[in-house]
Amino acid sequence: MTTSTIEDKKRLVRRLAGSGRGFAEQYGFRVTNNPSSLFQLLCLAILLARRGDYRRALDSAHALPDAGWDSAARLARALHEDLVRVLRESGQRGDVDALADLLGDLARTVVQRYRGDLRRLRSAAGYDPDRERELLTALPGVDTAVVELFLREVQALWGEVAPVADRRALAAARRLKLGRSAEDLAVLAGGGESERLAWLVGALARIDLERRYAELPA
């Protein structure tokens, strides 16, 4: 499917954003401004940024809280061998020991620097989006790609970082002729509505990830 007129674009945007849920929530992750939810979203972003089947990333991201590690503080106390086991059982392949080390280091760093609460990172940055990105990339395992995935979700809560659209959302937007930038999508989503934008870019990212273009009406 491709869109042509502005009305076509608005109609598609209404459909995509109409569920009232972003990417993470479509897959069963809560997007709320509390320490546990924010840390789980950061772990999800790290796992999704790795090469491999995205379904393994989702399974592993769910496996962490299912094992009782639903916060930075709890994951920081996890035994390395237990973390390796849970990651392997959730489908992770390759150097799982290194991934377990990374997640453990991330959790301990978030606890040490921000007492386990990424809202303190936001406060430390003075609610400045550039500084928030700097502080995020200073965390173990967090690079630019991870930041984009994390902020794609939390822009619904941290409005100052909007507009954010990761590479998959932009790939879908270009294919559907909705625009070529996060700013283009923000206009279609209603300007300052960061929550609606998060729903839109989340839906676009999911379409590209799952190759669901054929499901859209002609």
Side-chain angles (χ1 to χ4, degrees):
M1 174 187 174
T2 59
T3 55
S4 54
T5 70
I6 187 64
E7 287 306 315
D8 290 335
K9 292 180 180 181
K10 289 181 178 179
R11 191 176 302 113
L12 180 56
V13 166
R14 284 195 296 271
R15 178 184 175 185
L16 294 175
S19 69
R21 296 189 296 174
F23 180 94
E25 289 185 326
Q26 291 283 356
Y27 289 108
F29 297 89
R30 295 183 65 200
V31 180
T32 56
N33 198 30
N34 65 57
S36 179
S37 175
L38 292 172
F39 184 71
Q40 288 177 43
L41 291 173
L42 185 58
C43 289
L44 173 64
I46 286 175
L47 291 164
L48 285 171
R50 290 166 55 85
R51 292 183 179 181
D53 190 334
Y54 74 91
R55 286 165 293 197
R56 290 177 183 167
L58 293 168
D59 288 345
S60 295
H62 277 297
L64 296 176
D66 287 349
W69 307 318
D70 60 350
S71 67
R74 288 176 175 161
L75 186 57
R77 295 193 295 267
L79 295 177
H80 175 79
E81 55 269 30
D82 289 338
L83 185 49
V84 169
R85 175 181 51 78
V86 167
L87 290 171
R88 288 194 190 281
E89 289 176 352
S90 66
Q92 285 298 314
R93 300 292 183 267
D95 194 346
V96 180
D97 276 282
L99 177 58
D101 279 337
L102 185 154
L103 291 172
D105 287 345
L106 173 68
R108 287 185 289 273
T109 301
V110 171
V111 169
Q112 291 163 5
R113 294 182 188 173
Y114 306 110
R115 286 187 271 174
D117 188 348
L118 289 170
R119 294 175 303 181
R120 294 182 180 276
L121 179 150
R122 185 187 185 199
S123 178
Y127 302 90
D128 176 80
D130 291 334
R131 182 61 178 151
E132 287 167 356
R133 288 173 181 271
E134 290 177 8
L135 294 179
L136 283 167
T137 54
L139 296 172
V142 179
D143 59 15
T144 301
V146 173
V147 169
E148 292 304 308
L149 291 170
F150 176 70
L151 294 183
R152 178 187 69 194
E153 303 302 315
V154 303
Q155 67 184 321
L157 309 168
W158 299 3
E160 70 275 6
V161 304
V164 179
D166 68 301
R167 65 177 183 85
R168 287 197 176 276
L170 291 177
R174 287 191 294 269
R175 181 164 174 174
L176 298 172
K177 298 192 183 304
L178 291 176
R180 304 186 65 84
S181 69
E183 289 76 14
D184 291 339
L185 295 174
V187 171
L188 290 173
E193 293 290 335
S194 62
E195 186 176 51
R196 184 174 173 83
L197 175 62
W199 299 339
L200 173 60
V201 297
L204 289 170
R206 188 181 185 196
I207 287 169
D208 189 70
L209 190 66
E210 297 182 356
R211 313 309 294 171
R212 291 172 50 227
Y213 293 99
E215 297 178 18
L216 297 174

